[in-house]
Amino acid sequence: MHKQNKTQPNTQHNSNLNNIDTTKRLTREQGVDLLKNAPINTLAKYADQVRQRLHPNNTVTFVADRNINYTNICAVHCSFCSFRRNKNDADAYVLSNDEIIAKINETKELGGTQILLQGGMHPEFKIDYYENLVELIKSMGMWVHGFSAAELQFVAQVSKISVREVMERLIAKGLDSIPGAADLLVEDVRKDVSPGKVSVPQWVDCMETAHKLGLKTSSCLMFKKDDTAENIIEHLDTLRQLQDRTNGFTAFICWPFQPDNTKLGGEKTTPYEYLRVLAVARLYLDNIPNIQVSWVTQGKDIGQLGLLYGANDFGNLMIEENVVSAAGTTFKMSSEDIINSIQEAGFIAAKRDMHYNILETYVSPLNTQKVS
């Protein structure tokens, strides 16, 4: 994650780090110090204390959804992305309505309740394309969790309308919530790795507008191995300040950048570094109720371990996922796998919706019999 974490934590600081009050808000300085210097077992202890306080019933949730990437044609060239294509590339695509309907029907057959809708920023698609897309999915009875801040900003630009109007028109067609894809909310870093995407102020304004319009959103962090502790805490602090104002974030998800097949490249983040960031996020984001593990990038075992580092949610079923897999990471799990993984880790498994309402609870020991 950064140079200090490639060695053992600084033991000179350990006495201070062993006296953190997890019921009080961390300062930025404390967050940086924990991320740089706290022993991994200390972080796990603190983060688990917060999880138990916020979620004392020992339940770990998940959502059954499908990520429909409606197109891979994208006008923005992010150096960390291996998914995007130019319009004339041989493997460029735009899904037809029939293809989307088939994917939704399969999702429903597998018990899915939600469509995560994200794609490339197509230079020719205006607001009416996205209105029709949302209306189609909503007509099939699915929750529509769609469009990152970058997508919404791009649609507004192409359509020559405001981001607020884009949201209002999509809400009118059935948009239910927005994913919080943010990469890293540090302006200097964004200018280097994704100069064509929204700026930090634009991202914050987009999320704040969504919250004011009644759309709940998730919040995210994608971090690289060489991102500094200071930058990661700056990102978390931006989320925490926005949540103080709006209370619109339902959850936080972090995952390490997957460098394979990307222009940016670089060294992979270790599970040790991932768990450090996960635990510190649980401690720092005291106003965001839910923390997800990223088994999609880390696999089942680290996903389970993340439940001991502050997470209370196993994330998405991901019946289909194309962006992370384009970078060579292809972990797959069924609903039964997720339920069993949660139960193996010693927790009660429950299916939820995007607002974290419990839809079904499953009994232990390892089986998928429904309780509710």
Side-chain angles (χ1 to χ4, degrees):
M1 180 179 59
H2 47 81
K3 291 181 180 179
Q4 292 92 331
N5 279 352
K6 292 179 181 178
T7 60
Q8 291 298 312
N10 188 341
T11 55
Q12 294 178 348
H13 294 271
N14 285 354
S15 60
N16 293 331
L17 296 174
N18 284 326
N19 293 303
I20 295 291
D21 184 348
T22 59
T23 66
K24 295 181 179 179
R25 173 162 283 194
L26 291 179
T27 65
R28 289 180 67 151
E29 293 74 18
Q30 287 175 312
V32 169
D33 198 17
L34 284 168
L35 198 50
K36 284 184 175 180
N37 298 307
I40 192 73
N41 61 325
T42 300
L43 289 178
K45 178 185 73 174
Y46 287 154
D48 196 55
Q49 287 175 5
V50 175
R51 180 196 61 77
Q52 290 186 51
R53 186 176 74 247
L54 295 177
H55 304 281
N57 62 2
N58 212 38
T59 295
V60 169
T61 51
F62 71 99
V63 63
D65 69 355
R66 184 185 202 123
N67 190 351
I68 295 183
N69 303 117
Y70 51 90
T71 182
N72 63 352
I73 297 170
C74 188
V76 178
H77 295 253
C78 299
S79 60
F80 57 78
C81 180
S82 53
F83 172 72
R84 72 160 301 280
R85 295 293 185 271
N86 294 315
K87 182 178 179 180
N88 295 325
D89 288 343
D91 53 350
Y93 72 85
V94 176
L95 294 179
S96 68
N97 282 356
D98 287 344
E99 289 173 312
I100 290 171
I101 290 169
K103 289 176 182 291
I104 294 172
N105 283 331
E106 182 186 22
T107 303
K108 294 169 79 170
E109 290 171 3
L110 293 170
T113 59
Q114 175 176 288
I115 295 298
L116 172 55
L117 190 62
Q118 290 182 294
M121 284 169 266
H122 198 295
E124 299 173 7
F125 288 173
K126 296 184 180 181
I127 182 63
D128 58 318
Y129 169 83
Y130 300 94
E131 287 178 304
N132 292 336
L133 189 57
V134 170
E135 190 171 38
L136 170 64
I137 297 170
K138 197 64 182 178
S139 72
M140 299 185 68
M142 302 299 285
W143 183 279
V144 184
H145 183 55
F147 310 117
S148 66
E151 289 172 274
L152 294 167
Q153 192 81 32
F154 192 82
V155 174
Q157 178 185 331
V158 172
S159 306
K160 296 181 170 50
I161 57 179
S162 68
V163 173
R164 184 184 183 91
E165 184 177 345
V166 169
M167 290 188 200
E168 288 173 338
R169 289 176 63 167
L170 293 177
I171 290 170
K173 296 298 183 180
L175 180 64
D176 295 298
S177 57
I178 294 176
D183 308 330
L184 183 69
L185 294 173
V186 177
E187 199 61 49
D188 289 344
V189 176
R190 294 177 77 82
K191 288 177 180 178
D192 285 340
V193 302
S194 54
K197 290 178 76 171
V198 291
S199 65
V200 174
Q202 286 175 320
W203 188 92
V204 171
D205 182 68
C206 186
M207 290 292 109
E208 190 158 8
T209 299
H211 296 168
K212 288 178 178 178
L213 289 173
L215 290 177
K216 293 290 187 179
T217 75
S218 56
S219 60
C220 302
L221 161 68
M222 182 189 73
F223 65 95
K224 306 184 301 301
K225 190 176 183 71
D226 60 355
D227 284 327
T228 65
E230 289 79 4
N231 281 350
I232 289 172
I233 295 300
E234 180 177 340
H235 178 105
L236 297 180
D237 197 66
T238 298
L239 298 180
R240 192 170 74 176
Q241 289 184 48
L242 178 54
Q243 182 75 338
D244 280 343
R245 297 196 299 273
T246 67
N247 194 36
F249 292 129
T250 59
F252 171 80
I253 312 101
C254 69
W255 64 88
F257 163 60
Q258 304 300 301
D260 294 349
N261 306 323
T262 68
K263 180 180 178 181
L264 185 60
E267 190 177 352
K268 282 192 173 184
T269 302
T270 66
Y272 171 86
E273 291 165 328
Y274 164 72
L275 291 169
R276 292 185 70 82
V277 173
L278 180 69
V280 171
R282 176 62 289 171
L283 294 168
Y284 200 85
L285 298 174
D286 56 3
N287 54 3
I288 297 181
N290 301 292
I291 304 288
Q292 289 185 21
V293 297
S294 180
W295 66 263
V296 176
T297 64
Q298 300 300 296
K300 169 192 168 182
D301 292 346
I302 300 303
Q304 289 176 305
L305 193 56
L307 301 177
L308 304 179
Y309 283 75
N312 65 288
D313 188 89
F314 219 71
N316 306 49
L317 172 59
M318 287 291 185
I319 296 166
E320 176 183 2
E321 196 289 319
N322 299 298
V323 177
V324 172
S325 58
T329 301
T330 56
F331 294 112
K332 296 286 186 182
M333 295 180 76
S334 66
S335 290
E336 290 75 15
D337 292 334
I338 289 177
I339 292 165
N340 286 342
S341 295
I342 292 169
Q343 293 176 344
E344 284 175 357
F347 297 90
I348 299 167
K351 185 191 291 186
R352 62 166 175 86
D353 63 15
M354 194 272 171
H355 287 172
Y356 282 78
N357 299 308
I358 301 300
L359 304 177
E360 296 172 356
T361 302
Y362 302 89
V363 299
S364 297
L366 309 183
N367 65 68
T368 58
Q369 179 184 344
K370 297 177 185 178
V371 172
S372 62

